[in-house]
Amino acid sequence: MANPSILILAGDGIGPEVMAEVKKIIGWYDAKRGITFDVSEDLVGGCAYDKHGTPLHDDTMAKAQEVDCVLLGAVGGPKYDNLDFSVKPERGLLRLRKEMDLYSNLRPAQCFDALADFSSLKKEVVAGLDIVIVRELTSGVYFGEPRGIFTEGNERVGINTQRYTESEIARVARSAFEMARRRNNKVCSMEKANVMESGILWRQVVQEIHDKEYPDVELSHMYADAGAMQLCRWPKQFDVIVTDNLFGDLLSDAAAMLTGSLGMLPSASLGAPMANGRPKALYEPVHGSAPDIAGQGKANPIACVLSFAMALRYSFDLGDEATRLEQAVEKVLAEGVRTADLMGPESGTPVSTSAMGDAIVAALDASL
Ligand code: IPM
Ligand code: MG
């Protein structure tokens, strides 16, 4: 049988730096566990634009459709701010999500014990936190038509459309209920049914899928603004949160800070099962390309490393190896190894991106 395949799209900014650490770990699995991946690499985002004049070449898109999963670093940077909207780096990522139909975006927010003191919230609020945001990823206001900047009379109008079909809501709701069944069996659905019709439909469909297919799961509904407030007030009340594309974008950044740093949060974007029964998938850190620190060896590679752990679990059925890698990260944090984002202003010298990767590899060695 062919080796499992991975397409690496490291992208822009800190993307290549954090991905270099994942490549070390892929090398470790090959050398020490006999788990060999066929790894290919290509361009996405600004670097793809620089070479091809498009943030995602058709050949890259075609490759992404063929591999077992895609690992993505980050896209974007100030250099590309003034590009036409249609070729902005982010369009490359959004095209991957849309054409691979990756409708279910899992964004776990877990607070490692070693970092509980570091969160901007009180320790008792975040210690032991373990929640998952399931964000709808291929529809809503990110993709709805009509969209654009138009002229009406003597002024311009910017238009985006929030649009959700019943089936789009139903499939991401199922994904959230399935996730809850493997965890603490609780789903909170967030929308703005008080002001948006799409929110009213969202609430109805989630409730219907629950009543028909998942009556054993505890379901609640919250307005997304109140949800943001509750996430800061007492996040441990949640287990799985399911929400739309835009609210999920905002709520997952907020949830990230509960864990201490945006540099800690991995994500999995999953679609329908492929011929091998595993979902079509793309894994990426929640953080962006961080152009302000790019190329300086300061970035925290943990979000990207933990994204690879999610790939081991969801794309390769290697749950035990995923746990091994997550525990290696936990060990390194417990030992006090810290990149700059995980430190207060006066708490010592941070390690570099690559030293953090080396420490994780050493912890993997120690796990054998
Ligand atoms: C994210 C990012 C993306 C989004 C950008 C880079 C297009 O913020 O994955 O959360 O808005 O979805
Ligand atoms: Mg975001």
Side-chain angles (χ1 to χ4, degrees):
M1 232 176 77
N3 292 327
S5 56
I6 299 178
L7 173 62
I8 290 186
L9 302 174
D12 307 319
I14 60 170
E17 289 164 69
V18 295
M19 197 59 81
E21 304 316 305
V22 173
K23 286 191 229 164
K24 282 183 193 164
I25 289 164
I26 292 175
W28 184 87
Y29 275 100
D30 184 27
K32 301 290 174 74
R33 302 292 298 153
I35 301 169
T36 308
F37 297 98
D38 280 340
V39 178
S40 52
E41 291 195 55
D42 212 326
L43 304 174
V44 69
C47 58
Y49 175 82
D50 288 339
K51 176 138 185 236
H52 302 299
T54 162
L56 188 73
H57 195 278
D58 288 345
D59 292 348
T60 317
M61 187 64 242
K63 269 191 232 166
Q65 297 283 18
E66 277 158 26
V67 289
D68 290 315
C69 77
V70 176
L71 291 184
L72 190 136
V75 294
K79 183 176 163 198
Y80 308 104
D81 279 352
N82 296 322
L83 285 184
D84 185 74
F85 184 75
S86 63
V87 290
K88 276 196 184 294
E90 292 78 4
R91 304 309 305 169
L93 174 57
L94 294 170
R95 180 177 176 199
L96 281 164
R97 291 175 178 172
K98 188 69 178 173
E99 291 192 21
M100 292 171 77
D101 200 18
L102 305 170
Y103 60 87
S104 175
N105 180 218
L106 314 180
R107 299 192 158 185
Q110 224 180 324
C111 183
F112 289 89
D113 285 346
L115 297 181
D117 276 323
F118 188 69
S119 172
S120 52
L121 284 122
K122 288 198 194 93
K123 184 169 181 171
E124 66 265 28
V125 176
V126 297
L129 179 73
D130 180 6
I131 63 177
V132 180
I133 295 181
V134 179
R135 167 188 177 193
E136 199 292 323
L137 202 61
T138 51
S139 185
V141 75
Y142 272 58
F143 296 98
E145 300 281 350
R147 66 184 299 164
I149 299 174
F150 305 96
T151 305
E152 267 179 26
N154 56 6
E155 67 171 350
R156 289 165 301 162
V157 195
I159 297 181
N160 290 92
T161 303
Q162 167 87 337
R163 180 178 191 276
Y164 269 108
T165 66
E166 204 172 340
S167 53
E168 286 169 341
I169 301 168
R171 64 183 186 171
V172 73
R174 286 193 184 94
S175 166
F177 288 126
E178 293 290 339
M179 174 63 62
R181 274 187 179 161
R182 291 196 295 271
R183 296 170 45 91
N184 297 314
N185 224 35
K186 232 164 66 169
V187 170
C188 181
S189 169
M190 295 188 188
E191 28 52 21
K192 286 278 289 175
N194 49 346
V195 288
M196 298 165 78
E197 285 80 358
S198 61
I200 297 176
L201 184 69
W202 182 281
R203 188 176 283 225
Q204 285 169 357
V205 173
V206 171
Q207 188 68 51
E208 286 161 15
I209 296 291
H210 169 268
D211 296 351
K212 272 189 230 137
E213 302 172 31
Y214 300 91
D216 52 299
V217 179
E218 191 186 316
L219 171 66
S220 58
H221 303 273
M222 224 178 249
Y223 297 140
D225 53 347
M229 184 269 282
Q230 290 295 341
L231 260 180
C232 303
R233 193 186 69 85
W234 191 244
K236 287 186 248 180
Q237 70 187 280
F238 298 113
D239 178 27
V240 174
I241 292 172
V242 63
T243 190
D244 76 12
N245 204 344
L246 183 60
F247 295 142
D249 183 42
L250 305 177
L251 292 169
S252 61
D253 265 32
M257 272 323 284
L258 305 173
T259 70
S261 167
L262 195 51
M264 298 293 299
L265 241 82
S267 82
S269 305
L270 307 178
M274 300 184 284
N276 65 8
R278 315 302 307 167
K280 202 157 253 203
L282 178 148
Y283 300 88
E284 56 173 320
V286 171
H287 63 68
S289 60
D292 53 320
I293 58 162
Q296 301 169 37
K298 286 185 185 165
N300 182 352
I302 290 181
C304 201
V305 168
L306 292 177
S307 298
F308 177 63
M310 292 186 89
L312 292 172
R313 180 170 290 118
Y314 294 112
S315 284
F316 302 116
D317 225 354
L318 293 168
D320 290 347
E321 297 299 340
T323 304
R324 179 197 301 280
L325 181 51
E326 287 157 356
Q327 285 173 349
V329 168
E330 213 167 330
K331 177 167 187 276
V332 163
L333 291 172
E335 285 164 356
V337 183
R338 299 277 185 277
T339 41
D341 58 307
L342 302 178
M343 296 191 120
E346 66 280 308
S347 45
T349 318
V351 302
S352 68
T353 309
S354 113
M356 178 59 96
D358 292 342
I360 296 170
V361 167
L364 283 170
D365 274 330
S367 77
L368 294 176

